Amino acid sequence: QKEVEQDPGPLSVPEGAIVSLNCTYSNSAFQYFMWYRQYSRKGPELLMYTYSSGNKEDGRFTAQVDKSSKYISLFIRDSQPSDSATYLCAMSDAAGNKLTFGGGTRVLVKP
Amino acid sequence: DGGITQSPKYLFRKEGQNVTLSCEQNLNHDAMYWYRQDPGQGLRLIYYSQIVNDFQKGDIAEGYSVSREKKESFPLTVTSAQKNPTAFYLCASSMNRDSDTQYFGPGTRLTVL
C-alpha cells in the first residue's frame, strides 16, 4: 500500500463547477501538507501549504486537513479551463524532511 | 528573472550510455533535489543536497549519481546501471534544510532507445 493515495482521475467538470480533490495517507506523523499543480510536460508549482489540521483559503482555492481521518482536500471554486492540470498532494513529517507525493489527479475543466 | 532551469527539455540516449541532466538555480537556495516522475506513481526522490559539497541518497538512488560543487548547480548523471531510466526528471530547490516549500524546474524527459 502506498503511503499517500490519490485517485488518478481524470476528473471532468463543466466550467464554473467546484472541483473537489483529496488524498488519504497512512503516516500519522505527517503534519505539513501541500498541493501542487502541474501542467502537461511542466514542473509542479506550489498552490497551497498548510500545517496540521484546519482550513486555508487563497482566492478560489481552499485546502482542508483532517488529521484524525488522515485525509486532505483541495477545493477549486468557479473552475476555469485554465485549471485543467494534474494536482499533486505532498506531505512531510517535519520541516525540511523529505516530501512524500501522491500520484496526482488529472482534472479537465470543459468550457 | 529568478528560477530553476533544466536542460535539455528532451533527451534521447542509447542503452549502455551515461547521460547528465543539468539543473541550475539563481534563487540563492541552499537545498536542491532530484525527483523522477513516472505515470501514476507521483514523484520519487533520487538524491538531495542541503549544502554545497554534500548530498544524500533518496528513495531510488541506485543507478544515479550527483555532484554539488557550486551552490547554484546540481547535475544528475543517469548511468548505464539504471535499469529503467526512461522517465520525466524534475529538479527542485528550497531555501534551506528547514524549508518545506520546494520550487520545481520545468523538467527533462529522458527516453532510452
Side-chain angles (χ1 to χ4, degrees):
Chain A
Q1 185 184 4
K2 293 180 182 178
E3 212 167 1
V4 179
E5 296 278 1
Q6 192 174 2
D7 189 322
L11 176 62
S12 184
V13 300
E15 183 176 356
I18 294 176
V19 176
S20 176
L21 303 166
N22 58 75
C23 289
T24 58
Y25 61 94
S26 56
N27 187 348
S28 58
F30 287 146
Q31 50 183 334
Y32 296 87
F33 304 93
M34 286 136 269
W35 285 96
Y36 284 84
R37 177 176 63 196
Q38 184 177 25
Y39 292 113
S40 181
R41 297 186 177 86
K42 303 289 186 184
E45 55 179 321
L46 183 66
L47 276 180
M48 299 288 283
Y49 175 94
T50 53
Y51 168 69
S52 193
S53 287
N55 294 359
K56 184 174 182 178
E57 190 173 317
D58 184 0
R60 296 186 296 114
F61 299 91
T62 299
Q64 291 183 348
V65 174
D66 182 350
K67 290 185 68 180
S68 62
S69 301
K70 299 191 184 69
Y71 187 92
I72 67 171
S73 302
L74 178 71
F75 300 97
I76 308 173
R77 291 184 299 280
D78 187 24
S79 58
Q80 306 295 311
S82 58
D83 294 325
S84 298
T86 296
Y87 291 81
L88 301 159
C89 63
M91 47 199 79
S92 71
D93 57 359
N97 280 6
K98 77 177 188 81
L99 297 180
T100 301
F101 285 83
T105 298
R106 186 173 165 224
V107 171
L108 299 172
V109 180
K110 297 185 176 180
Chain B
D1 193 19
I4 302 174
T5 57
Q6 291 185 243
S7 61
K9 189 172 183 178
Y10 298 97
L11 188 57
F12 297 89
R13 184 194 98 176
K14 292 182 179 179
E15 279 193 34
Q17 288 181 337
N18 292 356
V19 63
T20 297
L21 282 59
S22 167
C23 177
E24 304 277 331
Q25 55 97 358
N26 61 4
L27 300 168
N28 199 33
H29 285 175
D30 287 330
M32 298 187 73
Y33 310 81
W34 273 106
Y35 293 89
R36 170 184 171 134
Q37 186 175 30
D38 295 282
Q41 292 196 44
L43 277 66
R44 291 182 291 167
L45 183 64
I46 304 172
Y47 267 98
Y48 64 102
S49 168
Q50 294 178 323
I51 198 168
V52 175
N53 292 322
D54 187 48
F55 49 83
Q56 286 80 39
K57 293 181 179 180
D59 298 320
I60 54 165
E62 185 174 353
Y64 300 98
S65 66
V66 294
S67 63
R68 186 84 188 277
E69 298 176 0
K70 297 186 295 182
K71 186 175 184 177
E72 59 270 24
S73 179
F74 191 40
L76 173 74
T77 297
V78 184
T79 75
S80 56
Q82 168 52 233
K83 299 304 180 188
N84 186 21
T86 294
F88 189 48
Y89 290 88
L90 287 159
C91 178
S93 71
S94 64
M95 189 177 299
N96 53 53
R97 65 173 68 199
D98 296 322
S99 173
D100 285 298
T101 304
Q102 294 184 17
Y103 299 88
F104 285 83
T108 292
R109 180 163 299 278
L110 172 65
T111 302
V112 175
L113 304 173

